[in-house]
Amino acid sequence: MALTVTALKMGVLLLEKAFDGIQKRTPIRQPVWAAAISGGERKILVDTGLHDSQWISQNCVPCEIGPEETMEASLARIGWRLEDVEIVVNTHLHYDHVGNNPRFPGALFYTGYQEWETAFHPPASQAFLY
C-alpha cells in the first residue's frame, strides 16, 4: 500500500535566530507545518498548526496566517474537509502544533505519554508553549 504525505503550511512565526556566543539576533520567518497522510484506510493529520494569529501574536510571538494557510484552505487543496480527518497525531503539545485540534471533535488523537504529562506540568521556562 502506497501512502502519500502532503506538507500543509499553516502560517509563519516571526522569531529571532540567536547565534552561539554572539549577542546579535537575526529575525527569521519560521514556517509552521502539518502533514496529511492519505492512501491507507484512514485520513491522518500529523499536527494541526496555528489557530489564531492575533492570539498567538499577543501571547507568544508575532505570527502570520494567510487565507491560504487556514486549516480549511489547506485541507481543501488536497480534497479533504475537516470532518474527513479520522486520526490526529500530535508530535508534541506546543501551541504551534495543536492550535486546530478542537476543529476535529470526531477524530482519534494520539501523542506520547511523556508529552501528555509534561503538558500538565511543564518546566517554568516552557509553560507559555503549552
Side-chain angles (χ1 to χ4, degrees):
M1 160 184 36
L3 297 177
T4 300
V5 179
T6 305
L8 307 173
K9 187 175 176 208
M10 305 305 301
V12 295
L13 299 176
L14 308 172
L15 306 174
E16 292 182 344
K17 182 177 181 181
F19 295 94
D20 206 19
I22 301 174
Q23 296 299 320
K24 182 180 177 186
R25 297 191 179 274
T26 303
I28 60 169
R29 296 175 59 81
Q30 177 65 49
V32 174
W33 300 96
I37 302 173
S38 61
E41 295 178 16
R42 308 249 194 256
K43 289 186 172 148
I44 302 169
L45 193 59
V46 179
D47 291 332
T48 63
L50 304 165
H51 72 294
D52 179 342
S53 61
Q54 184 177 0
W55 183 90
I56 294 166
S57 293
Q58 290 174 348
N59 293 285
C60 302
V61 298
C63 172
E64 296 173 357
I65 302 171
E68 71 286 356
E69 297 169 334
T70 66
M71 183 55 72
E72 288 89 345
S74 295
L75 292 177
R77 276 194 304 283
I78 61 170
W80 290 14
R81 298 166 301 155
L82 292 170
E83 55 271 17
D84 293 335
V85 175
E86 298 170 80
I87 295 174
V88 174
V89 178
N90 288 130
T91 58
H92 60 287
L93 300 175
H94 291 174
Y95 70 90
D96 56 330
H97 291 258
V98 302
N100 287 294
N101 279 8
R103 317 281 314 271
F104 303 100
L108 276 166
F109 284 81
Y110 293 91
T111 196
Y113 176 80
Q114 187 61 46
E115 182 62 19
W116 182 258
E117 291 296 313
T118 300
F120 285 100
H121 307 288
S125 63
Q126 293 189 13
F128 78 99
L129 295 169
Y130 291 92

PDB file of all heavy atoms in Angstrom, residues 17-30:
ATOM      1  N   LYS A  17      16.678  34.468  15.436  1.00  0.00           N
ATOM      2  CA  LYS A  17      17.679  33.407  15.462  1.00  0.00           C
ATOM      3  C   LYS A  17      18.894  33.940  16.209  1.00  0.00           C
ATOM      4  O   LYS A  17      19.466  34.949  15.827  1.00  0.00           O
ATOM      5  CB  LYS A  17      18.065  33.000  14.043  1.00  0.00           C
ATOM      6  CG  LYS A  17      19.060  31.872  13.993  1.00  0.00           C
ATOM      7  CD  LYS A  17      19.327  31.479  12.558  1.00  0.00           C
ATOM      8  CE  LYS A  17      20.308  30.325  12.509  1.00  0.00           C
ATOM      9  NZ  LYS A  17      20.596  29.933  11.126  1.00  0.00           N
ATOM     10  N   ALA A  18      19.255  33.269  17.285  1.00  0.00           N
ATOM     11  CA  ALA A  18      20.426  33.669  18.062  1.00  0.00           C
ATOM     12  C   ALA A  18      21.593  32.778  17.676  1.00  0.00           C
ATOM     13  O   ALA A  18      21.433  31.583  17.465  1.00  0.00           O
ATOM     14  CB  ALA A  18      20.137  33.542  19.555  1.00  0.00           C
ATOM     15  N   PHE A  19      22.752  33.369  17.560  1.00  0.00           N
ATOM     16  CA  PHE A  19      23.948  32.614  17.229  1.00  0.00           C
ATOM     17  C   PHE A  19      24.742  32.374  18.494  1.00  0.00           C
ATOM     18  O   PHE A  19      24.885  33.261  19.330  1.00  0.00           O
ATOM     19  CB  PHE A  19      24.791  33.368  16.196  1.00  0.00           C
ATOM     20  CG  PHE A  19      24.093  33.506  14.880  1.00  0.00           C
ATOM     21  CD1 PHE A  19      23.354  34.642  14.581  1.00  0.00           C
ATOM     22  CD2 PHE A  19      24.137  32.485  13.949  1.00  0.00           C
ATOM     23  CE1 PHE A  19      22.691  34.760  13.375  1.00  0.00           C
ATOM     24  CE2 PHE A  19      23.480  32.591  12.737  1.00  0.00           C
ATOM     25  CZ  PHE A  19      22.762  33.738  12.456  1.00  0.00           C
ATOM     26  N   ASP A  20      25.249  31.180  18.646  1.00  0.00           N
ATOM     27  CA  ASP A  20      26.000  30.781  19.826  1.00  0.00           C
ATOM     28  C   ASP A  20      27.157  31.745  20.091  1.00  0.00           C
ATOM     29  O   ASP A  20      28.014  31.940  19.239  1.00  0.00           O
ATOM     30  CB  ASP A  20      26.537  29.362  19.617  1.00  0.00           C
ATOM     31  CG  ASP A  20      26.767  28.640  20.927  1.00  0.00           C
ATOM     32  OD1 ASP A  20      26.200  29.074  21.944  1.00  0.00           O
ATOM     33  OD2 ASP A  20      27.497  27.647  20.914  1.00  0.00           O
ATOM     34  N   GLY A  21      27.142  32.362  21.250  1.00  0.00           N
ATOM     35  CA  GLY A  21      28.231  33.245  21.643  1.00  0.00           C
ATOM     36  C   GLY A  21      28.174  34.641  21.054  1.00  0.00           C
ATOM     37  O   GLY A  21      29.022  35.468  21.327  1.00  0.00           O
ATOM     38  N   ILE A  22      27.159  34.916  20.253  1.00  0.00           N
ATOM     39  CA  ILE A  22      27.025  36.234  19.636  1.00  0.00           C
ATOM     40  C   ILE A  22      25.722  36.859  20.128  1.00  0.00           C
ATOM     41  O   ILE A  22      24.675  36.233  20.102  1.00  0.00           O
ATOM     42  CB  ILE A  22      27.015  36.125  18.090  1.00  0.00           C
ATOM     43  CG1 ILE A  22      28.316  35.476  17.607  1.00  0.00           C
ATOM     44  CG2 ILE A  22      26.801  37.481  17.454  1.00  0.00           C
ATOM     45  CD1 ILE A  22      28.324  35.198  16.118  1.00  0.00           C
ATOM     46  N   GLN A  23      25.789  38.090  20.575  1.00  0.00           N
ATOM     47  CA  GLN A  23      24.619  38.763  21.124  1.00  0.00           C
ATOM     48  C   GLN A  23      23.616  39.182  20.046  1.00  0.00           C
ATOM     49  O   GLN A  23      22.429  39.286  20.310  1.00  0.00           O
ATOM     50  CB  GLN A  23      25.045  39.988  21.923  1.00  0.00           C
ATOM     51  CG  GLN A  23      25.871  39.652  23.146  1.00  0.00           C
ATOM     52  CD  GLN A  23      25.100  38.780  24.122  1.00  0.00           C
ATOM     53  OE1 GLN A  23      23.918  38.992  24.337  1.00  0.00           O
ATOM     54  NE2 GLN A  23      25.755  37.799  24.713  1.00  0.00           N
ATOM     55  N   LYS A  24      24.087  39.406  18.830  1.00  0.00           N
ATOM     56  CA  LYS A  24      23.208  39.875  17.769  1.00  0.00           C
ATOM     57  C   LYS A  24      22.157  38.809  17.445  1.00  0.00           C
ATOM     58  O   LYS A  24      22.467  37.639  17.326  1.00  0.00           O
ATOM     59  CB  LYS A  24      24.023  40.193  16.519  1.00  0.00           C
ATOM     60  CG  LYS A  24      23.193  40.720  15.386  1.00  0.00           C
ATOM     61  CD  LYS A  24      24.049  41.026  14.179  1.00  0.00           C
ATOM     62  CE  LYS A  24      23.182  41.480  13.029  1.00  0.00           C
ATOM     63  NZ  LYS A  24      23.934  41.658  11.807  1.00  0.00           N
ATOM     64  N   ARG A  25      20.936  39.250  17.293  1.00  0.00           N
ATOM     65  CA  ARG A  25      19.849  38.346  16.919  1.00  0.00           C
ATOM     66  C   ARG A  25      19.378  38.705  15.512  1.00  0.00           C
ATOM     67  O   ARG A  25      19.233  39.868  15.183  1.00  0.00           O
ATOM     68  CB  ARG A  25      18.707  38.444  17.917  1.00  0.00           C
ATOM     69  CG  ARG A  25      19.127  37.996  19.307  1.00  0.00           C
ATOM     70  CD  ARG A  25      17.906  37.863  20.197  1.00  0.00           C
ATOM     71  NE  ARG A  25      18.276  37.410  21.514  1.00  0.00           N
ATOM     72  CZ  ARG A  25      18.418  36.136  21.859  1.00  0.00           C
ATOM     73  NH1 ARG A  25      18.237  35.189  20.998  1.00  0.00           N
ATOM     74  NH2 ARG A  25      18.732  35.814  23.089  1.00  0.00           N
ATOM     75  N   THR A  26      19.113  37.681  14.731  1.00  0.00           N
ATOM     76  CA  THR A  26      18.691  37.869  13.353  1.00  0.00           C
ATOM     77  C   THR A  26      17.239  37.451  13.213  1.00  0.00           C
ATOM     78  O   THR A  26      16.879  36.336  13.586  1.00  0.00           O
ATOM     79  CB  THR A  26      19.574  37.003  12.422  1.00  0.00           C
ATOM     80  OG1 THR A  26      20.929  37.358  12.620  1.00  0.00           O
ATOM     81  CG2 THR A  26      19.186  37.202  10.970  1.00  0.00           C
ATOM     82  N   PRO A  27      16.371  38.334  12.677  1.00  0.00           N
ATOM     83  CA  PRO A  27      14.967  37.938  12.501  1.00  0.00           C
ATOM     84  C   PRO A  27      14.832  36.855  11.421  1.00  0.00           C
ATOM     85  O   PRO A  27      15.515  36.902  10.400  1.00  0.00           O
ATOM     86  CB  PRO A  27      14.276  39.226  12.068  1.00  0.00           C
ATOM     87  CG  PRO A  27      15.347  40.163  11.651  1.00  0.00           C
ATOM     88  CD  PRO A  27      16.640  39.692  12.245  1.00  0.00           C
ATOM     89  N   ILE A  28      13.973  35.889  11.702  1.00  0.00           N
ATOM     90  CA  ILE A  28      13.688  34.829  10.720  1.00  0.00           C
ATOM     91  C   ILE A  28      12.188  34.587  10.661  1.00  0.00           C
ATOM     92  O   ILE A  28      11.469  34.851  11.617  1.00  0.00           O
ATOM     93  CB  ILE A  28      14.422  33.502  11.035  1.00  0.00           C
ATOM     94  CG1 ILE A  28      14.007  32.946  12.406  1.00  0.00           C
ATOM     95  CG2 ILE A  28      15.928  33.653  10.946  1.00  0.00           C
ATOM     96  CD1 ILE A  28      14.480  31.530  12.655  1.00  0.00           C
ATOM     97  N   ARG A  29      11.737  34.096   9.544  1.00  0.00           N
ATOM     98  CA  ARG A  29      10.344  33.691   9.352  1.00  0.00           C
ATOM     99  C   ARG A  29      10.321  32.166   9.392  1.00  0.00           C
ATOM    100  O   ARG A  29      10.783  31.519   8.468  1.00  0.00           O
ATOM    101  CB  ARG A  29       9.818  34.220   8.026  1.00  0.00           C
ATOM    102  CG  ARG A  29       9.777  35.745   7.971  1.00  0.00           C
ATOM    103  CD  ARG A  29       9.374  36.252   6.599  1.00  0.00           C
ATOM    104  NE  ARG A  29       8.071  35.759   6.185  1.00  0.00           N
ATOM    105  CZ  ARG A  29       6.890  36.268   6.562  1.00  0.00           C
ATOM    106  NH1 ARG A  29       6.867  37.309   7.373  1.00  0.00           N
ATOM    107  NH2 ARG A  29       5.766  35.761   6.127  1.00  0.00           N
ATOM    108  N   GLN A  30       9.786  31.606  10.475  1.00  0.00           N
ATOM    109  CA  GLN A  30       9.771  30.159  10.668  1.00  0.00           C
ATOM    110  C   GLN A  30       8.422  29.593  10.253  1.00  0.00           C
ATOM    111  O   GLN A  30       7.413  29.817  10.926  1.00  0.00           O
ATOM    112  CB  GLN A  30      10.049  29.823  12.135  1.00  0.00           C
ATOM    113  CG  GLN A  30       9.975  28.355  12.457  1.00  0.00           C
ATOM    114  CD  GLN A  30      11.051  27.562  11.738  1.00  0.00           C
ATOM    115  OE1 GLN A  30      12.216  27.920  11.767  1.00  0.00           O
ATOM    116  NE2 GLN A  30      10.646  26.492  11.090  1.00  0.00           N
TER     117      GLN A  30
END
